[in-house]
Coordinates of all heavy atoms in Angstrom, one line a residue:
M25 N 34.7 -72.8 63.3 CA 34.2 -72.5 61.9 C 32.8 -73.1 61.8 O 32.5 -74.1 62.4 CB 35.1 -73.1 60.8 CG 36.4 -72.3 60.5 SD 37.1 -73.0 59.0 CE 38.3 -71.7 58.8
S26 N 32.0 -72.4 60.9 CA 30.8 -72.9 60.6 C 30.9 -73.8 59.3 O 31.9 -73.6 58.6 CB 29.9 -71.8 60.2 OG 29.7 -70.9 61.3
P27 N 30.0 -74.8 59.1 CA 30.1 -75.7 57.9 C 30.4 -75.0 56.6 O 31.0 -75.5 55.8 CB 28.8 -76.5 58.0 CG 28.5 -76.4 59.4 CD 28.9 -75.0 59.9
D28 N 29.7 -73.8 56.5 CA 29.8 -73.1 55.2 C 31.0 -72.2 55.0 O 31.3 -71.6 54.0 CB 28.5 -72.3 54.9 CG 27.3 -73.2 54.7 OD1 27.5 -74.3 54.1 OD2 26.2 -72.9 55.0
D29 N 31.8 -72.1 56.1 CA 33.1 -71.4 56.0 C 34.2 -72.2 55.2 O 34.1 -73.4 55.2 CB 33.6 -71.1 57.4 CG 32.8 -70.2 58.2 OD1 32.1 -69.3 57.6 OD2 32.8 -70.2 59.4
E30 N 34.9 -71.4 54.4 CA 35.9 -72.1 53.5 C 37.2 -72.4 54.3 O 37.8 -71.5 55.0 CB 36.2 -71.1 52.4 CG 35.0 -70.9 51.5 CD 35.3 -70.0 50.3 OE1 36.4 -69.4 50.2 OE2 34.4 -69.9 49.5
V31 N 37.6 -73.6 54.2 CA 38.9 -74.0 54.8 C 40.1 -73.8 53.7 O 41.1 -73.2 54.0 CB 38.9 -75.6 55.1 CG1 40.2 -76.0 55.6 CG2 37.8 -75.7 56.2
C32 N 39.7 -74.2 52.4 CA 40.7 -74.0 51.3 C 40.2 -72.7 50.6 O 39.3 -72.9 49.8 CB 40.9 -75.1 50.5 SG 42.1 -74.7 49.2
L33 N 40.7 -71.6 51.0 CA 40.3 -70.4 50.3 C 40.7 -70.2 48.8 O 40.0 -69.6 48.0 CB 40.8 -69.2 51.1 CG 40.2 -69.1 52.5 CD1 41.2 -68.3 53.4 CD2 38.9 -68.4 52.5
C34 N 41.8 -70.9 48.4 CA 42.1 -70.9 47.0 C 41.1 -71.5 46.1 O 40.8 -71.0 45.0 CB 43.5 -71.7 46.8 SG 45.0 -70.8 47.4
F35 N 40.5 -72.6 46.6 CA 39.5 -73.3 45.7 C 38.1 -73.3 46.4 O 37.2 -74.1 45.9 CB 40.0 -74.7 45.5 CG 41.3 -74.8 44.7 CD1 42.5 -75.1 45.4 CD2 41.4 -74.6 43.4 CE1 43.7 -75.1 44.6 CE2 42.5 -74.6 42.6 CZ 43.7 -74.8 43.3
H36 N 37.9 -72.5 47.3 CA 36.5 -72.3 47.9 C 36.0 -73.7 48.4 O 34.8 -73.9 48.1 CB 35.6 -71.6 46.9 CG 36.2 -70.4 46.4 ND1 36.3 -69.2 47.1 CD2 36.7 -70.1 45.2 CE1 36.9 -68.2 46.4 NE2 37.1 -68.7 45.1
V37 N 36.8 -74.3 49.1 CA 36.3 -75.7 49.6 C 35.9 -75.4 51.1 O 36.7 -75.1 52.0 CB 37.5 -76.7 49.5 CG1 36.9 -78.1 50.0 CG2 38.0 -76.9 48.1
T38 N 34.6 -75.7 51.4 CA 34.1 -75.4 52.7 C 34.3 -76.6 53.7 O 34.6 -77.7 53.2 CB 32.5 -75.2 52.6 OG1 32.0 -76.4 52.2 CG2 32.1 -74.1 51.7
L39 N 34.2 -76.3 54.9 CA 34.3 -77.3 55.9 C 33.3 -78.3 55.8 O 33.7 -79.6 55.9 CB 34.1 -76.6 57.3 CG 34.2 -77.5 58.6 CD1 35.6 -78.3 58.7 CD2 34.0 -76.7 59.8
R40 N 32.1 -78.0 55.3 CA 31.1 -79.0 55.1 C 31.5 -80.0 53.9 O 31.4 -81.2 54.1 CB 29.8 -78.4 54.6 CG 28.7 -79.4 54.4 CD 27.4 -78.7 53.8 NE 27.1 -77.4 54.3 CZ 26.4 -77.2 55.4 NH1 25.9 -78.2 56.1 NH2 26.1 -75.9 55.9
K41 N 32.1 -79.5 52.9 CA 32.6 -80.3 51.8 C 33.7 -81.2 52.3 O 33.7 -82.4 51.9 CB 33.1 -79.4 50.7 CG 32.0 -78.8 49.9 CD 32.5 -78.0 48.8 CE 31.4 -77.2 48.1 NZ 31.8 -76.1 47.2
I42 N 34.6 -80.8 53.1 CA 35.7 -81.6 53.6 C 35.1 -82.7 54.5 O 35.5 -83.9 54.5 CB 36.8 -80.8 54.3 CG1 37.4 -79.9 53.2 CG2 37.8 -81.6 55.0 CD1 38.3 -78.9 53.7
R43 N 34.3 -82.3 55.4 CA 33.5 -83.3 56.3 C 33.0 -84.4 55.5 O 33.0 -85.5 55.8 CB 32.6 -82.6 57.2 CG 33.1 -81.8 58.4 CD 32.0 -81.1 59.2 NE 32.6 -80.5 60.3 CZ 31.9 -79.6 61.0 NH1 30.6 -79.2 60.7 NH2 32.4 -79.0 62.1
T44 N 32.2 -84.0 54.5 CA 31.5 -84.9 53.7 C 32.5 -85.9 52.9 O 32.2 -87.1 52.9 CB 30.6 -84.3 52.6 OG1 29.6 -83.5 53.3 CG2 29.8 -85.2 51.7
Y45 N 33.6 -85.3 52.4 CA 34.5 -86.1 51.8 C 35.2 -87.1 52.7 O 35.3 -88.2 52.4 CB 35.7 -85.2 51.2 CG 36.8 -86.0 50.6 CD1 36.7 -86.5 49.3 CD2 37.9 -86.2 51.3 CE1 37.8 -87.3 48.8 CE2 39.0 -86.9 50.8 CZ 38.8 -87.5 49.6 OH 39.9 -88.3 49.0
L46 N 35.5 -86.6 53.9 CA 36.1 -87.5 54.9 C 35.2 -88.7 55.3 O 35.7 -89.8 55.4 CB 36.5 -86.7 56.2 CG 37.7 -85.8 55.9 CD1 37.9 -84.8 57.2 CD2 39.1 -86.5 55.7
A47 N 34.0 -88.3 55.5 CA 33.0 -89.3 55.8 C 32.8 -90.3 54.7 O 32.5 -91.5 55.0 CB 31.6 -88.6 56.3
R48 N 32.6 -89.9 53.6 CA 32.3 -90.7 52.5 C 33.6 -91.6 51.9 O 33.5 -92.8 51.7 CB 31.9 -89.9 51.3 CG 31.3 -90.7 50.1 CD 31.0 -89.9 48.9 NE 32.0 -89.0 48.4 CZ 32.0 -87.7 48.1 NH1 30.9 -87.0 48.3 NH2 33.2 -87.2 47.6
E49 N 34.7 -91.0 51.9 CA 35.9 -91.6 51.4 C 36.9 -92.2 52.4 O 37.6 -93.1 52.1 CB 36.7 -90.7 50.5 CG 35.9 -90.1 49.4 CD 35.5 -91.1 48.3 OE1 36.3 -92.1 48.1 OE2 34.4 -90.9 47.6
N50 N 36.8 -91.8 53.6 CA 37.7 -92.1 54.7 C 39.1 -92.3 54.3 O 39.7 -93.4 54.2 CB 37.1 -93.5 55.2 CG 37.8 -93.8 56.6 OD1 38.3 -93.0 57.3 ND2 37.9 -95.1 57.0
P51 N 39.7 -91.3 53.7 CA 41.0 -91.4 53.1 C 42.1 -91.7 54.2 O 42.0 -91.3 55.3 CB 41.3 -90.0 52.6 CG 40.4 -89.1 53.5 CD 39.2 -89.9 53.8
P52 N 43.1 -92.7 53.8 CA 44.0 -93.2 54.8 C 45.0 -92.0 55.1 O 45.7 -92.2 56.2 CB 44.6 -94.3 54.2 CG 44.4 -94.1 52.7 CD 43.1 -93.4 52.5
V53 N 45.3 -91.2 54.2 CA 46.3 -90.1 54.5 C 45.6 -88.7 54.1 O 44.8 -88.5 53.3 CB 47.5 -90.2 53.7 CG1 48.3 -91.5 54.1 CG2 47.2 -90.3 52.2
A54 N 46.0 -87.7 54.8 CA 45.5 -86.4 54.8 C 45.7 -85.8 53.3 O 44.8 -85.1 52.9 CB 46.0 -85.4 55.7
S55 N 46.8 -86.1 52.7 CA 47.0 -85.5 51.3 C 46.0 -86.0 50.3 O 45.7 -85.2 49.3 CB 48.4 -85.9 50.9 OG 48.4 -87.4 50.8
L56 N 45.2 -87.0 50.5 CA 44.1 -87.3 49.6 C 43.0 -86.4 49.7 O 42.2 -86.4 48.8 CB 43.7 -88.8 49.9 CG 44.6 -89.9 49.5 CD1 44.2 -91.2 49.9 CD2 44.7 -89.8 47.9
I57 N 42.9 -85.5 50.7 CA 41.9 -84.5 50.7 C 41.9 -83.6 49.5 O 41.0 -82.9 49.1 CB 41.9 -83.7 52.0 CG1 41.6 -84.5 53.2 CG2 40.9 -82.5 52.0 CD1 41.9 -83.9 54.6
S58 N 43.1 -83.6 48.8 CA 43.3 -82.9 47.6 C 42.3 -83.3 46.4 O 41.9 -82.6 45.6 CB 44.6 -83.0 47.0 OG 45.0 -84.3 46.7
E59 N 41.8 -84.5 46.7 CA 40.8 -85.0 45.7 C 39.4 -84.4 45.8 O 38.5 -84.5 45.0 CB 40.6 -86.5 45.9 CG 41.8 -87.3 45.4 CD 41.6 -88.8 45.5 OE1 40.6 -89.2 46.0 OE2 42.6 -89.6 45.1
C60 N 39.4 -83.7 47.0 CA 38.1 -82.8 47.3 C 38.2 -81.4 46.7 O 38.8 -80.5 47.3 CB 37.8 -82.8 48.8 SG 36.3 -82.0 49.2
L61 N 38.0 -81.3 45.4 CA 38.0 -80.0 44.7 C 39.3 -79.4 44.7 O 39.4 -78.1 44.6 CB 36.9 -79.1 45.3 CG 35.5 -79.7 45.4 CD1 34.5 -78.8 46.1 CD2 35.0 -79.9 43.9
G62 N 40.3 -80.1 44.9 CA 41.8 -79.6 44.9 C 42.2 -78.9 46.2 O 43.2 -78.2 46.1
A63 N 41.5 -79.1 47.3 CA 41.8 -78.5 48.6 C 43.3 -78.8 48.9 O 43.8 -79.9 48.8 CB 41.0 -79.1 49.6
G64 N 44.0 -77.6 49.2 CA 45.4 -77.7 49.6 C 46.4 -77.7 48.5 O 47.6 -77.7 48.7
T65 N 46.0 -77.6 47.2 CA 47.0 -77.7 46.2 C 47.2 -76.3 45.6 O 48.0 -76.2 44.6 CB 46.4 -78.6 45.0 OG1 45.2 -78.0 44.6 CG2 46.2 -80.0 45.6
G66 N 46.8 -75.2 46.2 CA 47.2 -73.9 45.8 C 48.3 -73.3 46.6 O 49.4 -73.8 46.5
C67 N 48.0 -72.3 47.4 CA 49.0 -71.6 48.1 C 49.6 -72.4 49.3 O 50.6 -72.0 49.8 CB 48.5 -70.3 48.6 SG 47.3 -70.5 50.1
Q68 N 49.0 -73.5 49.6 CA 49.4 -74.4 50.7 C 49.0 -73.9 52.1 O 49.3 -74.6 53.1 CB 50.9 -74.6 50.7 CG 51.4 -75.1 49.3 CD 51.2 -76.5 49.0 OE1 51.6 -77.4 49.8 NE2 50.5 -76.8 47.9
W69 N 48.4 -72.7 52.2 CA 48.1 -72.2 53.6 C 47.3 -73.3 54.4 O 47.5 -73.4 55.6 CB 47.3 -70.9 53.3 CG 46.4 -70.6 54.6 CD1 45.0 -70.7 54.6 CD2 46.9 -70.1 55.8 NE1 44.7 -70.3 55.9 CE2 45.8 -69.9 56.7 CE3 48.2 -69.8 56.4 CZ2 45.9 -69.5 58.0 CZ3 48.2 -69.4 57.7 CH2 47.1 -69.3 58.4
C70 N 46.3 -73.9 53.7 CA 45.4 -74.6 54.5 C 45.9 -76.1 54.9 O 45.2 -76.8 55.5 CB 44.1 -74.8 53.7 SG 44.3 -75.6 52.1
V71 N 47.1 -76.5 54.4 CA 47.6 -77.8 54.6 C 47.6 -78.2 56.0 O 47.1 -79.3 56.3 CB 48.9 -78.0 53.9 CG1 49.5 -79.3 54.2 CG2 48.8 -78.0 52.3
P72 N 48.2 -77.5 56.9 CA 48.2 -78.0 58.4 C 46.8 -78.1 58.9 O 46.5 -79.0 59.8 CB 49.0 -77.0 59.1 CG 49.1 -75.8 58.2 CD 49.0 -76.3 56.9
F73 N 45.9 -77.3 58.5 CA 44.5 -77.4 58.9 C 43.7 -78.6 58.3 O 43.0 -79.2 59.0 CB 43.7 -76.1 58.6 CG 44.5 -74.9 59.1 CD1 45.3 -74.1 58.2 CD2 44.4 -74.5 60.4 CE1 46.0 -73.0 58.7 CE2 45.1 -73.4 60.9 CZ 45.9 -72.7 60.1
L74 N 44.1 -78.9 57.0 CA 43.5 -80.1 56.5 C 44.0 -81.4 57.2 O 43.3 -82.4 57.5 CB 43.9 -80.2 55.0 CG 43.3 -79.1 54.1 CD1 43.8 -79.2 52.6 CD2 41.7 -79.1 54.0
K75 N 45.3 -81.3 57.5 CA 45.9 -82.5 58.3 C 45.1 -82.6 59.7 O 44.9 -83.7 60.1 CB 47.4 -82.2 58.5 CG 48.2 -82.4 57.3 CD 49.7 -82.2 57.6 CE 50.5 -82.4 56.3 NZ 51.9 -82.1 56.5
H76 N 44.9 -81.5 60.3 CA 44.1 -81.6 61.5 C 42.7 -82.1 61.3 O 42.4 -83.0 62.1 CB 44.1 -80.2 62.1 CG 43.1 -80.1 63.3 ND1 43.4 -80.5 64.5 CD2 41.8 -79.5 63.4 CE1 42.4 -80.3 65.4 NE2 41.4 -79.7 64.6
L77 N 42.1 -81.6 60.3 CA 40.7 -82.2 60.1 C 40.7 -83.7 59.9 O 39.9 -84.5 60.3 CB 40.1 -81.5 58.9 CG 39.8 -79.9 59.2 CD1 39.3 -79.3 57.9 CD2 38.9 -79.6 60.2
H78 N 41.7 -84.1 59.0 CA 41.9 -85.6 58.9 C 42.1 -86.3 60.1 O 41.5 -87.4 60.4 CB 43.0 -85.8 57.9 CG 43.2 -87.2 57.5 ND1 44.2 -88.0 58.1 CD2 42.6 -88.1 56.6 CE1 44.2 -89.2 57.6 NE2 43.2 -89.3 56.7
A79 N 43.0 -85.8 60.9 CA 43.3 -86.4 62.3 C 42.1 -86.5 63.1 O 41.9 -87.6 63.8 CB 44.4 -85.7 62.9
E80 N 41.2 -85.5 63.2 CA 40.1 -85.5 64.0 C 39.1 -86.5 63.4 O 38.5 -87.4 64.3 CB 39.4 -84.0 63.9 CG 40.1 -83.1 64.6 CD 39.9 -83.0 66.1 OE1 38.9 -82.5 66.5 OE2 40.8 -83.5 66.8
H81 N 39.0 -86.6 62.1 CA 38.1 -87.7 61.5 C 38.7 -89.1 61.9 O 37.8 -89.9 62.4 CB 38.1 -87.5 60.1 CG 37.5 -88.7 59.3 ND1 36.1 -88.9 59.3 CD2 38.0 -89.7 58.6 CE1 35.8 -90.0 58.7 NE2 36.9 -90.5 58.2
Q82 N 39.9 -89.3 61.8 CA 40.6 -90.6 62.2 C 40.3 -91.0 63.6 O 40.2 -92.2 64.0 CB 42.1 -90.5 61.9 CG 42.5 -90.4 60.5 CD 42.3 -91.6 59.6 OE1 41.2 -91.9 59.3 NE2 43.4 -92.3 59.3
K83 N 40.1 -89.9 64.5 CA 39.9 -90.2 66.0 C 38.4 -90.3 66.2 O 38.0 -90.5 67.4 CB 40.4 -89.0 66.8 CG 42.0 -88.9 66.8 CD 42.5 -87.7 67.4 CE 44.0 -87.5 67.3 NZ 44.4 -86.2 67.7
G84 N 37.6 -90.2 65.1 CA 36.2 -90.4 65.4 C 35.5 -89.1 65.9 O 34.3 -89.2 66.3
R85 N 36.1 -88.0 65.7 CA 35.5 -86.7 66.2 C 35.0 -85.9 64.9 O 35.5 -86.2 63.8 CB 36.6 -85.9 66.9 CG 37.2 -86.5 68.1 CD 38.3 -85.5 68.8 NE 39.1 -86.1 69.7 CZ 40.2 -85.8 70.1 NH1 40.9 -84.9 69.3 NH2 40.9 -86.4 71.0
E86 N 34.1 -85.0 65.2 CA 33.7 -84.2 64.1 C 34.8 -83.2 63.8 O 35.2 -82.4 64.5 CB 32.4 -83.4 64.4 CG 31.9 -82.6 63.3 CD 30.6 -82.0 63.5 OE1 30.4 -81.2 64.4 OE2 29.7 -82.5 62.7
P87 N 35.3 -83.2 62.6 CA 36.4 -82.3 62.2 C 36.0 -80.8 62.3 O 34.9 -80.4 61.8 CB 36.8 -82.6 60.8 CG 36.3 -84.1 60.5 CD 35.0 -84.1 61.5
D88 N 36.8 -80.1 63.0 CA 36.5 -78.6 63.2 C 37.8 -77.8 63.3 O 38.8 -78.4 63.7 CB 35.6 -78.5 64.4 CG 34.8 -77.1 64.3 OD1 34.9 -76.4 63.3 OD2 34.1 -76.9 65.2
L89 N 37.6 -76.6 63.1 CA 38.8 -75.6 63.3 C 38.2 -74.6 64.3 O 37.2 -73.9 64.0 CB 39.2 -75.0 61.9 CG 39.8 -75.9 61.0 CD1 40.2 -75.2 59.7 CD2 41.2 -76.5 61.5
R90 N 39.0 -74.3 65.4 CA 38.5 -73.3 66.3 C 39.1 -72.0 66.0 O 39.9 -71.5 66.8 CB 38.9 -73.9 67.7 CG 38.1 -75.0 68.1 CD 38.5 -75.7 69.4 NE 39.8 -76.4 69.2 CZ 39.9 -77.7 68.8 NH1 38.8 -78.3 68.5 NH2 41.0 -78.3 68.6
V91 N 38.7 -71.4 65.0 CA 39.1 -70.1 64.5 C 38.0 -69.4 63.8 O 37.3 -70.1 63.1 CB 40.5 -70.2 63.8 CG1 40.3 -70.9 62.5 CG2 41.1 -68.8 63.5
S92 N 37.9 -68.1 63.9 CA 36.9 -67.4 63.1 C 37.3 -67.4 61.6 O 38.5 -67.3 61.4 CB 36.7 -66.0 63.5 OG 37.8 -65.2 63.2
P93 N 36.4 -67.3 60.7 CA 36.8 -67.3 59.3 C 37.4 -66.0 59.0 O 38.4 -66.0 58.1 CB 35.5 -67.4 58.6 CG 34.4 -67.1 59.5 CD 34.9 -67.5 60.9
E94 N 37.3 -65.0 59.7 CA 37.8 -63.7 59.5 C 39.4 -63.7 59.9 O 40.2 -63.4 59.1 CB 37.2 -62.6 60.3 CG 35.8 -62.2 59.8 CD 34.7 -63.2 60.4 OE1 35.1 -64.0 61.3 OE2 33.6 -63.2 59.8
E95 N 39.6 -64.3 61.1 CA 41.0 -64.4 61.5 C 41.8 -65.4 60.6 O 43.0 -65.2 60.3 CB 41.1 -64.9 63.0 CG 42.5 -64.9 63.5 CD 42.6 -65.2 65.0 OE1 41.6 -65.8 65.6 OE2 43.6 -64.8 65.6
Y96 N 41.2 -66.4 60.2 CA 41.8 -67.4 59.3 C 42.2 -66.8 58.0 O 43.3 -67.0 57.5 CB 40.7 -68.6 59.1 CG 41.2 -69.7 58.4 CD1 42.0 -70.8 59.0 CD2 40.8 -69.9 57.0 CE1 42.4 -71.8 58.2 CE2 41.2 -71.0 56.3 CZ 42.0 -72.0 57.0 OH 42.4 -73.1 56.2
A97 N 41.2 -66.0 57.5 CA 41.6 -65.4 56.2 C 42.7 -64.3 56.4 O 43.5 -64.2 55.4 CB 40.3 -64.8 55.6
R98 N 42.5 -63.6 57.4 CA 43.5 -62.5 57.7 C 45.0 -63.1 57.8 O 45.9 -62.5 57.2 CB 43.1 -61.7 58.8 CG 44.0 -60.5 59.1 CD 43.4 -59.6 60.3 NE 43.5 -60.3 61.5 CZ 42.4 -60.7 62.2 NH1 41.2 -60.5 61.8 NH2 42.5 -61.3 63.3
T99 N 45.0 -64.1 58.6 CA 46.4 -64.7 58.8 C 46.9 -65.4 57.5 O 48.1 -65.6 57.4 CB 46.4 -65.7 60.0 OG1 45.4 -66.6 59.8 CG2 46.3 -64.9 61.3
R100 N 46.0 -65.8 56.7 CA 46.5 -66.3 55.3 C 47.1 -65.2 54.6 O 48.1 -65.5 53.8 CB 45.3 -67.0 54.6 CG 45.6 -67.4 53.1 CD 44.3 -68.0 52.6 NE 44.5 -68.3 51.2 CZ 44.0 -67.5 50.1 NH1 43.3 -66.4 50.5 NH2 44.1 -67.8 48.9
L101 N 46.7 -64.1 54.6 CA 47.2 -63.0 53.8 C 48.6 -62.7 54.3 O 49.5 -62.4 53.6 CB 46.4 -61.7 53.9 CG 45.0 -61.8 53.1 CD1 44.2 -60.6 53.3 CD2 45.2 -62.2 51.6
T102 N 48.8 -62.8 55.6 CA 50.1 -62.5 56.2 C 51.1 -63.7 55.7 O 52.3 -63.4 55.5 CB 50.0 -62.6 57.7 OG1 49.2 -61.5 58.1 CG2 51.4 -62.3 58.4
Y103 N 50.5 -64.9 55.8 CA 51.3 -66.1 55.2 C 51.8 -65.8 53.8 O 53.0 -66.1 53.5 CB 50.5 -67.3 55.4 CG 51.0 -68.5 54.6 CD1 52.1 -69.2 55.1 CD2 50.5 -68.9 53.5 CE1 52.7 -70.3 54.4 CE2 51.0 -70.0 52.8 CZ 52.1 -70.7 53.3 OH 52.5 -71.8 52.6
H104 N 50.9 -65.2 53.0 CA 51.4 -65.0 51.6 C 52.4 -64.0 51.6 O 53.3 -64.1 50.6 CB 50.2 -64.5 50.8 CG 49.2 -65.6 50.5 ND1 48.0 -65.3 49.8 CD2 49.2 -66.9 50.8 CE1 47.3 -66.4 49.7 NE2 48.0 -67.4 50.3
K105 N 52.5 -63.1 52.6 CA 53.6 -62.1 52.5 C 54.9 -62.5 53.1 O 55.9 -62.1 52.6 CB 53.1 -60.8 53.3 CG 52.1 -60.0 52.6 CD 51.5 -58.8 53.4 CE 50.4 -58.1 52.9 NZ 49.5 -57.5 53.8
T106 N 54.8 -63.3 54.1 CA 56.0 -63.7 54.9 C 56.4 -65.1 54.6 O 57.6 -65.6 54.9 CB 55.8 -63.6 56.4 OG1 54.7 -64.5 56.7 CG2 55.3 -62.2 56.8
N107 N 55.5 -66.0 54.0 CA 55.7 -67.4 53.9 C 55.8 -68.2 55.2 O 56.4 -69.2 55.2 CB 56.9 -67.6 52.9 CG 56.8 -68.9 52.2 OD1 55.6 -69.3 51.8 ND2 57.8 -69.5 51.7
E108 N 55.3 -67.5 56.2 CA 55.3 -68.2 57.6 C 54.0 -68.2 58.1 O 53.3 -67.1 58.1 CB 56.3 -67.6 58.5 CG 57.8 -67.8 58.1 CD 58.8 -67.2 59.1 OE1 58.3 -67.0 60.3 OE2 59.9 -67.0 58.7
R109 N 53.5 -69.4 58.7 CA 52.2 -69.4 59.3 C 52.3 -68.8 60.8 O 53.3 -69.0 61.5 CB 51.7 -70.8 59.4 CG 51.3 -71.3 58.1 CD 50.7 -72.8 58.1 NE 50.5 -73.2 56.8 CZ 51.4 -73.8 56.0 NH1 52.6 -73.8 56.4 NH2 51.0 -74.2 54.8
D110 N 51.3 -68.1 61.2 CA 51.2 -67.6 62.6 C 50.9 -68.8 63.5 O 49.9 -69.4 63.4 CB 50.0 -66.6 62.7 CG 49.9 -66.0 64.0 OD1 50.2 -66.7 65.0 OD2 49.5 -64.8 64.2
A111 N 52.0 -69.1 64.2 CA 51.9 -70.4 65.0 C 50.8 -70.3 66.1 O 50.2 -71.3 66.4 CB 53.2 -70.6 65.8
D112 N 50.5 -69.1 66.5 CA 49.4 -68.9 67.5 C 48.0 -69.3 66.9 O 47.1 -69.9 67.6 CB 49.3 -67.5 68.1 CG 50.6 -67.2 68.9 OD1 51.2 -68.2 69.4 OD2 50.8 -66.0 69.2
V113 N 47.9 -68.9 65.6 CA 46.6 -69.1 65.1 C 46.5 -70.7 64.7 O 45.4 -71.3 64.8 CB 46.4 -68.3 63.7 CG1 45.2 -68.7 62.9 CG2 46.3 -66.9 64.1
V114 N 47.6 -71.3 64.3 CA 47.5 -72.7 63.9 C 47.3 -73.4 65.3 O 46.4 -74.3 65.2 CB 48.8 -73.2 63.4 CG1 48.9 -74.7 63.2 CG2 49.1 -72.5 62.0
Q115 N 47.8 -73.0 66.4 CA 47.6 -73.7 67.6 C 46.2 -73.5 68.1 O 45.5 -74.5 68.5 CB 48.6 -73.2 68.7 CG 48.8 -74.1 69.9 CD 47.7 -74.0 70.9 OE1 47.1 -73.0 71.0 NE2 47.4 -75.1 71.6
K116 N 45.7 -72.3 68.0 CA 44.3 -72.0 68.4 C 43.3 -72.8 67.5 O 42.4 -73.4 68.1 CB 44.1 -70.5 68.2 CG 42.7 -70.1 68.6 CD 42.7 -68.5 68.4 CE 41.3 -68.0 68.2 NZ 41.4 -66.6 67.9
A117 N 43.5 -72.8 66.2 CA 42.5 -73.5 65.4 C 42.6 -75.1 65.5 O 41.5 -75.7 65.4 CB 42.9 -73.1 63.9
T118 N 43.8 -75.6 65.7 CA 43.9 -77.0 65.8 C 43.9 -77.6 67.2 O 43.7 -78.8 67.4 CB 45.1 -77.5 65.0 OG1 46.3 -77.0 65.6 CG2 45.1 -77.0 63.6
G119 N 44.3 -76.8 68.1 CA 44.5 -77.2 69.5 C 45.7 -78.1 69.7 O 45.9 -78.9 70.6
E120 N 46.6 -78.0 68.7 CA 47.8 -78.8 68.7 C 49.1 -77.9 68.9 O 49.1 -76.8 68.6 CB 48.0 -79.6 67.4 CG 46.8 -80.6 67.1 CD 46.7 -81.1 65.7 OE1 47.6 -80.8 64.9 OE2 45.8 -81.8 65.5
Ligands
FES17 S1 44.0 -71.8 50.9 FE1 44.1 -74.0 50.5 S2 45.7 -74.1 49.0 FE2 45.5 -71.9 49.4

């Protein structure tokens, strides 16, 4: 993802905003990323991705998601219909 791509589509929270929040606040748990403009508190789609970004930050790496914003947004819509995340996209984006 590019820094200006949105990680939390519900609240339009970009990767850059999350990186800045992580660097500035160094939250001990991923759930505190919700303090960054409400990220993760809507449909919940982005929660595993926020956890990944937090884990990357904790490891001293630059937080990133290895997925295009188009695929990320498209699979979110499927998640809204099925209430299940595409495991392949989660794995691809997070490498986990
Ligand atoms: S995309 Fe983040 S809560 Fe919906």
Side-chain angles (χ1 to χ4, degrees):
M25 275 192 175
S26 300
D28 290 328
D29 293 332
E30 294 178 356
V31 175
C32 182
L33 294 153
C34 286
F35 296 104
H36 307 290
V37 186
T38 63
L39 178 59
R40 184 190 316 278
K41 287 177 183 170
I42 292 169
R43 282 177 176 167
T44 300
Y45 174 80
L46 289 169
R48 189 182 61 227
E49 301 296 331
N50 195 23
V53 292
S55 60
L56 286 173
I57 298 176
S58 64
E59 293 181 354
C60 181
L61 305 171
T65 61
C67 73
Q68 309 283 306
W69 158 252
C70 61
V71 169
F73 304 100
L74 295 174
K75 287 179 180 176
H76 168 74
L77 295 174
H78 181 261
E80 291 281 281
H81 170 74
Q82 295 286 76
K83 293 173 187 167
R85 300 180 191 150
E86 182 169 64
D88 201 1
L89 295 174
R90 289 172 286 278
V91 63
S92 72
E94 293 81 13
E95 184 173 24
Y96 185 78
R98 188 175 61 248
T99 51
R100 173 177 172 261
L101 293 179
T102 303
Y103 167 74
H104 287 178
K105 290 178 189 156
T106 64
N107 211 26
E108 290 186 19
R109 289 181 182 82
D110 184 324
D112 289 342
V113 171
V114 175
Q115 199 280 331
K116 180 176 157 185
T118 65
E120 295 167 5

